[in-house]
Amino acid sequence: MRVDEVSAPQTMAEAVAVLKRRPDALPWAGGTLILTSGGAGDAPVSVLDLGRIPELRAVSRSDRYLELGACVRLATIQALPRSLSLQPLRDAIGLVGTATVRNMATLGGNIASRDAFMTCFPSLACMDATVELRDASGSRWSGIHALVGGDGRPAFPAATLLTRIRVPTAPWDAFALHRLGEPTKGDAFASTFAAAARFEKETISELRLIASGRTLARDRALELSLIGKRLPLTVKDVEEAREAAGERAIEAGFPARLAERFGAYVMSFLASVQEGGR
């Protein structure tokens, strides 16, 4: 990566002004993703250093959610009180690199990748997180799924900064997070499976089943078909869920082996919650 300009704004207004002047500017916080994925290649880039903006490092909470600045380090989130219900996000952070990497990497950098959905994205999608996006026209809040394009690929808007993430803190009755596949030669990105469920009166009241990597696979029709089902689920229900999840992953462009693994994890998760509503 060849850098032709570095800007280090002290405020969000200054950062937005830089981005308006240089819409191709590369936001920089921890820098771990840019360095490991090769950054912008050999093309000259303008770097926008966000590390000096206090509001991007802020952490606050309300009765319903935790609000995290985009430059909050992953290690900082791990160190938050265990009384906060942050699974499966904590599990996702635990899969990110080493302790040294987590001390550098930021939550915003993990979410805002334009090449793939990184490890924290599917867990936050399960948790119905919302994100604040800011550009020259102002700021707006959107569900995190707004960052998924119609083709299932990342669709982070150009000339835009991710500034804050709101994570609901209502606890989940069951959750799971697993690697679907590790990074391969020539590809720095791993695929991830995330799932979460809530139960009410021995039935599934909420359910999320997501696979992500270069693309994101989520079968909302499958989730809806299982919501309201009484526990334990039938063998037929679980087997049909496995097949549907695998087919959805294939449609989303996952390799056959990862699609099959997604289906197997869905089946395993649903089998593990059989007694969850009791």
Side-chain angles (χ1 to χ4, degrees), residues 118-161:
M118 306 304 290
T119 308
C120 293
F121 196 100
S123 65
L124 290 168
C126 281
M127 300 170 79
D128 299 324
T130 56
V131 294
E132 183 188 48
L133 304 175
R134 192 174 303 191
D135 57 22
S137 64
S139 63
R140 61 193 182 277
W141 285 93
S142 302
I144 196 169
H145 277 284
L147 304 181
V148 184
D151 60 357
R153 296 184 179 278
F156 196 89
T160 301
L161 294 175

mmCIF file of all heavy atoms in Angstrom, residues 118-161:
data_model
loop_
_atom_site.group_PDB
_atom_site.id
_atom_site.type_symbol
_atom_site.label_atom_id
_atom_site.label_comp_id
_atom_site.label_asym_id
_atom_site.label_seq_id
_atom_site.Cartn_x
_atom_site.Cartn_y
_atom_site.Cartn_z
ATOM 1 N N MET A 118 -16.749 -9.941 8.315
ATOM 2 C CA MET A 118 -15.796 -10.439 9.287
ATOM 3 C C MET A 118 -16.526 -11.099 10.461
ATOM 4 O O MET A 118 -17.751 -11.108 10.541
ATOM 5 C CB MET A 118 -14.896 -9.303 9.753
ATOM 6 C CG MET A 118 -14.211 -8.553 8.610
ATOM 7 S SD MET A 118 -13.245 -9.633 7.524
ATOM 8 C CE MET A 118 -11.901 -10.049 8.627
ATOM 9 N N THR A 119 -15.757 -11.613 11.419
ATOM 10 C CA THR A 119 -16.284 -12.501 12.448
ATOM 11 C C THR A 119 -17.405 -11.901 13.286
ATOM 12 O O THR A 119 -18.352 -12.591 13.662
ATOM 13 C CB THR A 119 -15.133 -12.937 13.376
ATOM 14 O OG1 THR A 119 -14.066 -13.441 12.582
ATOM 15 C CG2 THR A 119 -15.585 -14.013 14.338
ATOM 16 N N CYS A 120 -17.321 -10.613 13.602
ATOM 17 C CA CYS A 120 -18.342 -10.010 14.469
ATOM 18 C C CYS A 120 -19.651 -9.730 13.747
ATOM 19 O O CYS A 120 -20.690 -9.559 14.406
ATOM 20 C CB CYS A 120 -17.810 -8.713 15.089
ATOM 21 S SG CYS A 120 -16.465 -8.955 16.260
ATOM 22 N N PHE A 121 -19.629 -9.662 12.430
ATOM 23 C CA PHE A 121 -20.831 -9.257 11.697
ATOM 24 C C PHE A 121 -22.006 -10.212 11.919
ATOM 25 O O PHE A 121 -23.109 -9.761 12.268
ATOM 26 C CB PHE A 121 -20.532 -9.120 10.205
ATOM 27 C CG PHE A 121 -21.593 -8.355 9.456
ATOM 28 C CD1 PHE A 121 -21.410 -7.031 9.142
ATOM 29 C CD2 PHE A 121 -22.785 -8.957 9.068
ATOM 30 C CE1 PHE A 121 -22.384 -6.299 8.460
ATOM 31 C CE2 PHE A 121 -23.767 -8.254 8.401
ATOM 32 C CZ PHE A 121 -23.565 -6.913 8.097
ATOM 33 N N PRO A 122 -21.847 -11.531 11.744
ATOM 34 C CA PRO A 122 -23.010 -12.404 11.923
ATOM 35 C C PRO A 122 -23.535 -12.433 13.350
ATOM 36 O O PRO A 122 -24.739 -12.567 13.566
ATOM 37 C CB PRO A 122 -22.500 -13.782 11.471
ATOM 38 C CG PRO A 122 -21.026 -13.714 11.628
ATOM 39 C CD PRO A 122 -20.658 -12.294 11.314
ATOM 40 N N SER A 123 -22.641 -12.283 14.336
ATOM 41 C CA SER A 123 -23.117 -12.262 15.718
ATOM 42 C C SER A 123 -23.947 -11.012 15.971
ATOM 43 O O SER A 123 -25.003 -11.070 16.618
ATOM 44 C CB SER A 123 -21.944 -12.336 16.695
ATOM 45 O OG SER A 123 -21.121 -11.198 16.600
ATOM 46 N N LEU A 124 -23.504 -9.863 15.454
ATOM 47 C CA LEU A 124 -24.271 -8.631 15.614
ATOM 48 C C LEU A 124 -25.567 -8.672 14.823
ATOM 49 O O LEU A 124 -26.574 -8.101 15.244
ATOM 50 C CB LEU A 124 -23.418 -7.438 15.189
ATOM 51 C CG LEU A 124 -22.255 -7.100 16.130
ATOM 52 C CD1 LEU A 124 -21.301 -6.107 15.478
ATOM 53 C CD2 LEU A 124 -22.772 -6.551 17.453
ATOM 54 N N ALA A 125 -25.549 -9.352 13.684
ATOM 55 C CA ALA A 125 -26.791 -9.523 12.920
ATOM 56 C C ALA A 125 -27.788 -10.360 13.707
ATOM 57 O O ALA A 125 -28.992 -10.069 13.725
ATOM 58 C CB ALA A 125 -26.488 -10.170 11.573
ATOM 59 N N CYS A 126 -27.310 -11.402 14.379
ATOM 60 C CA CYS A 126 -28.179 -12.208 15.236
ATOM 61 C C CYS A 126 -28.783 -11.364 16.355
ATOM 62 O O CYS A 126 -29.933 -11.563 16.763
ATOM 63 C CB CYS A 126 -27.388 -13.360 15.863
ATOM 64 S SG CYS A 126 -27.107 -14.772 14.786
ATOM 65 N N MET A 127 -28.020 -10.420 16.859
ATOM 66 C CA MET A 127 -28.439 -9.612 18.002
ATOM 67 C C MET A 127 -29.248 -8.380 17.589
ATOM 68 O O MET A 127 -29.597 -7.549 18.420
ATOM 69 C CB MET A 127 -27.203 -9.181 18.800
ATOM 70 C CG MET A 127 -26.393 -10.358 19.332
ATOM 71 S SD MET A 127 -24.792 -9.871 20.020
ATOM 72 C CE MET A 127 -25.312 -9.253 21.624
ATOM 73 N N ASP A 128 -29.523 -8.240 16.285
ATOM 74 C CA ASP A 128 -30.304 -7.101 15.766
ATOM 75 C C ASP A 128 -29.641 -5.771 16.088
ATOM 76 O O ASP A 128 -30.302 -4.793 16.456
ATOM 77 C CB ASP A 128 -31.739 -7.118 16.314
ATOM 78 C CG ASP A 128 -32.493 -8.367 15.917
ATOM 79 O OD1 ASP A 128 -32.288 -8.857 14.793
ATOM 80 O OD2 ASP A 128 -33.297 -8.862 16.732
ATOM 81 N N ALA A 129 -28.331 -5.716 15.935
ATOM 82 C CA ALA A 129 -27.598 -4.471 16.165
ATOM 83 C C ALA A 129 -27.969 -3.434 15.110
ATOM 84 O O ALA A 129 -28.361 -3.767 13.986
ATOM 85 C CB ALA A 129 -26.096 -4.735 16.132
ATOM 86 N N THR A 130 -27.837 -2.166 15.485
ATOM 87 C CA THR A 130 -28.022 -1.074 14.536
ATOM 88 C C THR A 130 -26.731 -0.268 14.462
ATOM 89 O O THR A 130 -25.924 -0.271 15.401
ATOM 90 C CB THR A 130 -29.186 -0.147 14.940
ATOM 91 O OG1 THR A 130 -28.957 0.356 16.270
ATOM 92 C CG2 THR A 130 -30.501 -0.896 14.909
ATOM 93 N N VAL A 131 -26.533 0.410 13.341
ATOM 94 C CA VAL A 131 -25.299 1.150 13.127
ATOM 95 C C VAL A 131 -25.622 2.588 12.728
ATOM 96 O O VAL A 131 -26.613 2.850 12.049
ATOM 97 C CB VAL A 131 -24.421 0.489 12.049
ATOM 98 C CG1 VAL A 131 -23.936 -0.877 12.516
ATOM 99 C CG2 VAL A 131 -25.182 0.351 10.724
ATOM 100 N N GLU A 132 -24.766 3.503 13.173
ATOM 101 C CA GLU A 132 -24.884 4.893 12.753
ATOM 102 C C GLU A 132 -23.879 5.143 11.642
ATOM 103 O O GLU A 132 -22.677 4.887 11.800
ATOM 104 C CB GLU A 132 -24.605 5.844 13.912
ATOM 105 C CG GLU A 132 -24.788 7.309 13.519
ATOM 106 C CD GLU A 132 -24.339 8.286 14.596
ATOM 107 O OE1 GLU A 132 -23.226 8.100 15.131
ATOM 108 O OE2 GLU A 132 -25.100 9.232 14.900
ATOM 109 N N LEU A 133 -24.370 5.647 10.517
ATOM 110 C CA LEU A 133 -23.530 5.975 9.370
ATOM 111 C C LEU A 133 -23.540 7.491 9.185
ATOM 112 O O LEU A 133 -24.580 8.137 9.331
ATOM 113 C CB LEU A 133 -24.058 5.285 8.111
ATOM 114 C CG LEU A 133 -24.207 3.765 8.195
ATOM 115 C CD1 LEU A 133 -24.847 3.226 6.925
ATOM 116 C CD2 LEU A 133 -22.854 3.098 8.431
ATOM 117 N N ARG A 134 -22.371 8.037 8.861
ATOM 118 C CA ARG A 134 -22.289 9.487 8.703
ATOM 119 C C ARG A 134 -21.541 9.833 7.419
ATOM 120 O O ARG A 134 -20.486 9.260 7.120
ATOM 121 C CB ARG A 134 -21.577 10.109 9.909
ATOM 122 C CG ARG A 134 -21.705 11.630 9.964
ATOM 123 C CD ARG A 134 -21.124 12.190 11.254
ATOM 124 N NE ARG A 134 -21.731 11.626 12.451
ATOM 125 C CZ ARG A 134 -21.531 12.120 13.675
ATOM 126 N NH1 ARG A 134 -20.751 13.172 13.851
ATOM 127 N NH2 ARG A 134 -22.110 11.552 14.723
ATOM 128 N N ASP A 135 -22.116 10.773 6.662
ATOM 129 C CA ASP A 135 -21.454 11.286 5.467
ATOM 130 C C ASP A 135 -21.704 12.786 5.382
ATOM 131 O O ASP A 135 -22.161 13.409 6.353
ATOM 132 C CB ASP A 135 -21.946 10.550 4.208
ATOM 133 C CG ASP A 135 -23.457 10.641 4.018
ATOM 134 O OD1 ASP A 135 -24.076 11.579 4.571
ATOM 135 O OD2 ASP A 135 -24.021 9.790 3.320
ATOM 136 N N ALA A 136 -21.416 13.374 4.244
ATOM 137 C CA ALA A 136 -21.528 14.828 4.107
ATOM 138 C C ALA A 136 -22.950 15.329 4.276
ATOM 139 O O ALA A 136 -23.170 16.498 4.616
ATOM 140 C CB ALA A 136 -20.977 15.255 2.751
ATOM 141 N N SER A 137 -23.944 14.460 4.075
ATOM 142 C CA SER A 137 -25.343 14.880 4.189
ATOM 143 C C SER A 137 -25.886 14.758 5.608
ATOM 144 O O SER A 137 -26.997 15.198 5.888
ATOM 145 C CB SER A 137 -26.222 14.056 3.236
ATOM 146 O OG SER A 137 -26.218 12.693 3.610
ATOM 147 N N GLY A 138 -25.131 14.139 6.519
ATOM 148 C CA GLY A 138 -25.577 13.985 7.901
ATOM 149 C C GLY A 138 -25.410 12.557 8.386
ATOM 150 O O GLY A 138 -24.675 11.762 7.791
ATOM 151 N N SER A 139 -26.098 12.227 9.474
ATOM 152 C CA SER A 139 -25.996 10.884 10.053
ATOM 153 C C SER A 139 -27.353 10.204 10.031
ATOM 154 O O SER A 139 -28.394 10.852 10.007
ATOM 155 C CB SER A 139 -25.463 10.954 11.487
ATOM 156 O OG SER A 139 -26.365 11.661 12.322
ATOM 157 N N ARG A 140 -27.329 8.870 10.063
ATOM 158 C CA ARG A 140 -28.557 8.084 10.053
ATOM 159 C C ARG A 140 -28.281 6.741 10.733
ATOM 160 O O ARG A 140 -27.162 6.234 10.699
ATOM 161 C CB ARG A 140 -29.051 7.849 8.625
ATOM 162 C CG ARG A 140 -28.081 7.073 7.750
ATOM 163 C CD ARG A 140 -28.462 7.124 6.275
ATOM 164 N NE ARG A 140 -27.571 6.334 5.430
ATOM 165 C CZ ARG A 140 -26.412 6.765 4.966
ATOM 166 N NH1 ARG A 140 -25.965 7.973 5.286
ATOM 167 N NH2 ARG A 140 -25.667 5.999 4.181
ATOM 168 N N TRP A 141 -29.324 6.191 11.371
ATOM 169 C CA TRP A 141 -29.238 4.875 11.989
ATOM 170 C C TRP A 141 -29.929 3.859 11.089
ATOM 171 O O TRP A 141 -30.992 4.119 10.527
ATOM 172 C CB TRP A 141 -29.905 4.878 13.358
ATOM 173 C CG TRP A 141 -29.102 5.558 14.415
ATOM 174 C CD1 TRP A 141 -29.178 6.855 14.813
ATOM 175 C CD2 TRP A 141 -28.070 4.954 15.218
ATOM 176 N NE1 TRP A 141 -28.270 7.112 15.804
ATOM 177 C CE2 TRP A 141 -27.578 5.968 16.078
ATOM 178 C CE3 TRP A 141 -27.532 3.671 15.292
ATOM 179 C CZ2 TRP A 141 -26.572 5.722 17.003
ATOM 180 C CZ3 TRP A 141 -26.526 3.427 16.216
ATOM 181 C CH2 TRP A 141 -26.051 4.445 17.058
ATOM 182 N N SER A 142 -29.304 2.690 10.947
ATOM 183 C CA SER A 142 -29.874 1.616 10.126
ATOM 184 C C SER A 142 -29.630 0.283 10.813
ATOM 185 O O SER A 142 -28.656 0.132 11.569
ATOM 186 C CB SER A 142 -29.219 1.576 8.731
ATOM 187 O OG SER A 142 -29.363 2.798 8.052
ATOM 188 N N GLY A 143 -30.490 -0.681 10.546
ATOM 189 C CA GLY A 143 -30.202 -2.035 10.986
ATOM 190 C C GLY A 143 -28.942 -2.524 10.290
ATOM 191 O O GLY A 143 -28.646 -2.125 9.156
ATOM 192 N N ILE A 144 -28.188 -3.385 10.955
ATOM 193 C CA ILE A 144 -26.912 -3.823 10.391
ATOM 194 C C ILE A 144 -27.101 -4.558 9.062
ATOM 195 O O ILE A 144 -26.211 -4.569 8.205
ATOM 196 C CB ILE A 144 -26.144 -4.691 11.409
ATOM 197 C CG1 ILE A 144 -24.670 -4.806 10.996
ATOM 198 C CG2 ILE A 144 -26.792 -6.059 11.580
ATOM 199 C CD1 ILE A 144 -23.782 -5.414 12.055
ATOM 200 N N HIS A 145 -28.289 -5.129 8.846
ATOM 201 C CA HIS A 145 -28.532 -5.830 7.580
ATOM 202 C C HIS A 145 -28.589 -4.874 6.398
ATOM 203 O O HIS A 145 -28.533 -5.310 5.244
ATOM 204 C CB HIS A 145 -29.822 -6.650 7.669
ATOM 205 C CG HIS A 145 -29.618 -7.989 8.313
ATOM 206 N ND1 HIS A 145 -29.031 -9.053 7.668
ATOM 207 C CD2 HIS A 145 -29.905 -8.431 9.559
ATOM 208 C CE1 HIS A 145 -28.977 -10.093 8.469
ATOM 209 N NE2 HIS A 145 -29.488 -9.741 9.634
ATOM 210 N N ALA A 146 -28.674 -3.558 6.664
ATOM 211 C CA ALA A 146 -28.617 -2.591 5.569
ATOM 212 C C ALA A 146 -27.248 -2.593 4.896
ATOM 213 O O ALA A 146 -27.096 -2.064 3.785
ATOM 214 C CB ALA A 146 -28.954 -1.192 6.077
ATOM 215 N N LEU A 147 -26.252 -3.182 5.554
ATOM 216 C CA LEU A 147 -24.905 -3.261 4.992
ATOM 217 C C LEU A 147 -24.714 -4.513 4.147
ATOM 218 O O LEU A 147 -23.601 -4.810 3.696
ATOM 219 C CB LEU A 147 -23.864 -3.230 6.113
ATOM 220 C CG LEU A 147 -23.931 -2.016 7.053
ATOM 221 C CD1 LEU A 147 -22.830 -2.089 8.097
ATOM 222 C CD2 LEU A 147 -23.853 -0.718 6.272
ATOM 223 N N VAL A 148 -25.806 -5.255 3.923
ATOM 224 C CA VAL A 148 -25.784 -6.449 3.072
ATOM 225 C C VAL A 148 -26.496 -6.115 1.773
ATOM 226 O O VAL A 148 -27.650 -5.683 1.775
ATOM 227 C CB VAL A 148 -26.472 -7.642 3.753
ATOM 228 C CG1 VAL A 148 -26.352 -8.901 2.875
ATOM 229 C CG2 VAL A 148 -25.878 -7.900 5.128
ATOM 230 N N GLY A 149 -25.822 -6.301 0.658
ATOM 231 C CA GLY A 149 -26.421 -6.000 -0.632
ATOM 232 C C GLY A 149 -27.427 -7.052 -1.065
ATOM 233 O O GLY A 149 -27.530 -8.130 -0.462
ATOM 234 N N GLY A 150 -28.153 -6.755 -2.128
ATOM 235 C CA GLY A 150 -29.137 -7.698 -2.644
ATOM 236 C C GLY A 150 -28.528 -8.990 -3.131
ATOM 237 O O GLY A 150 -29.209 -10.018 -3.197
ATOM 238 N N ASP A 151 -27.225 -8.957 -3.473
ATOM 239 C CA ASP A 151 -26.518 -10.163 -3.895
ATOM 240 C C ASP A 151 -25.881 -10.904 -2.732
ATOM 241 O O ASP A 151 -25.148 -11.879 -2.934
ATOM 242 C CB ASP A 151 -25.463 -9.823 -4.942
ATOM 243 C CG ASP A 151 -24.414 -8.830 -4.416
ATOM 244 O OD1 ASP A 151 -24.543 -8.365 -3.257
ATOM 245 O OD2 ASP A 151 -23.471 -8.518 -5.166
ATOM 246 N N GLY A 152 -26.148 -10.437 -1.493
ATOM 247 C CA GLY A 152 -25.584 -11.088 -0.318
ATOM 248 C C GLY A 152 -24.170 -10.674 0.008
ATOM 249 O O GLY A 152 -23.585 -11.167 0.974
ATOM 250 N N ARG A 153 -23.619 -9.745 -0.747
ATOM 251 C CA ARG A 153 -22.242 -9.293 -0.512
ATOM 252 C C ARG A 153 -22.230 -8.006 0.308
ATOM 253 O O ARG A 153 -23.251 -7.324 0.412
ATOM 254 C CB ARG A 153 -21.517 -9.094 -1.851
ATOM 255 C CG ARG A 153 -21.359 -10.399 -2.630
ATOM 256 C CD ARG A 153 -20.553 -10.207 -3.900
ATOM 257 N NE ARG A 153 -20.397 -11.468 -4.603
ATOM 258 C CZ ARG A 153 -19.487 -12.385 -4.318
ATOM 259 N NH1 ARG A 153 -18.625 -12.162 -3.328
ATOM 260 N NH2 ARG A 153 -19.413 -13.514 -4.993
ATOM 261 N N PRO A 154 -21.070 -7.657 0.876
ATOM 262 C CA PRO A 154 -20.992 -6.404 1.627
ATOM 263 C C PRO A 154 -21.390 -5.216 0.755
ATOM 264 O O PRO A 154 -21.024 -5.155 -0.424
ATOM 265 C CB PRO A 154 -19.517 -6.327 2.034
ATOM 266 C CG PRO A 154 -19.051 -7.753 2.044
ATOM 267 C CD PRO A 154 -19.796 -8.411 0.924
ATOM 268 N N ALA A 155 -22.131 -4.284 1.339
ATOM 269 C CA ALA A 155 -22.603 -3.121 0.594
ATOM 270 C C ALA A 155 -22.417 -1.863 1.436
ATOM 271 O O ALA A 155 -23.343 -1.069 1.595
ATOM 272 C CB ALA A 155 -24.064 -3.297 0.193
ATOM 273 N N PHE A 156 -21.208 -1.718 1.998
ATOM 274 C CA PHE A 156 -20.950 -0.532 2.802
ATOM 275 C C PHE A 156 -20.890 0.667 1.871
ATOM 276 O O PHE A 156 -20.147 0.663 0.887
ATOM 277 C CB PHE A 156 -19.646 -0.666 3.586
ATOM 278 C CG PHE A 156 -19.523 0.330 4.693
ATOM 279 C CD1 PHE A 156 -20.018 0.034 5.950
ATOM 280 C CD2 PHE A 156 -18.950 1.575 4.483
ATOM 281 C CE1 PHE A 156 -19.937 0.958 6.988
ATOM 282 C CE2 PHE A 156 -18.863 2.505 5.499
ATOM 283 C CZ PHE A 156 -19.362 2.193 6.758
ATOM 284 N N PRO A 157 -21.662 1.731 2.140
ATOM 285 C CA PRO A 157 -21.735 2.857 1.205
ATOM 286 C C PRO A 157 -20.421 3.622 1.094
ATOM 287 O O PRO A 157 -19.662 3.746 2.057
ATOM 288 C CB PRO A 157 -22.845 3.735 1.798
ATOM 289 C CG PRO A 157 -22.926 3.337 3.238
ATOM 290 C CD PRO A 157 -22.566 1.901 3.301
ATOM 291 N N ALA A 158 -20.162 4.125 -0.100
ATOM 292 C CA ALA A 158 -18.939 4.886 -0.349
ATOM 293 C C ALA A 158 -18.997 6.237 0.361
ATOM 294 O O ALA A 158 -20.074 6.764 0.647
ATOM 295 C CB ALA A 158 -18.763 5.085 -1.855
ATOM 296 N N ALA A 159 -17.805 6.807 0.620
ATOM 297 C CA ALA A 159 -17.676 8.129 1.235
ATOM 298 C C ALA A 159 -18.509 8.251 2.512
ATOM 299 O O ALA A 159 -19.123 9.275 2.783
ATOM 300 C CB ALA A 159 -18.066 9.222 0.239
ATOM 301 N N THR A 160 -18.524 7.189 3.296
ATOM 302 C CA THR A 160 -19.345 7.124 4.508
ATOM 303 C C THR A 160 -18.518 6.538 5.649
ATOM 304 O O THR A 160 -17.698 5.641 5.432
ATOM 305 C CB THR A 160 -20.581 6.239 4.264
ATOM 306 O OG1 THR A 160 -21.342 6.787 3.181
ATOM 307 C CG2 THR A 160 -21.462 6.154 5.503
ATOM 308 N N LEU A 161 -18.744 7.031 6.851
ATOM 309 C CA LEU A 161 -18.075 6.514 8.032
ATOM 310 C C LEU A 161 -19.064 5.792 8.930
ATOM 311 O O LEU A 161 -20.195 6.252 9.116
ATOM 312 C CB LEU A 161 -17.423 7.649 8.828
ATOM 313 C CG LEU A 161 -16.270 8.391 8.151
ATOM 314 C CD1 LEU A 161 -15.816 9.560 9.026
ATOM 315 C CD2 LEU A 161 -15.097 7.450 7.885
#
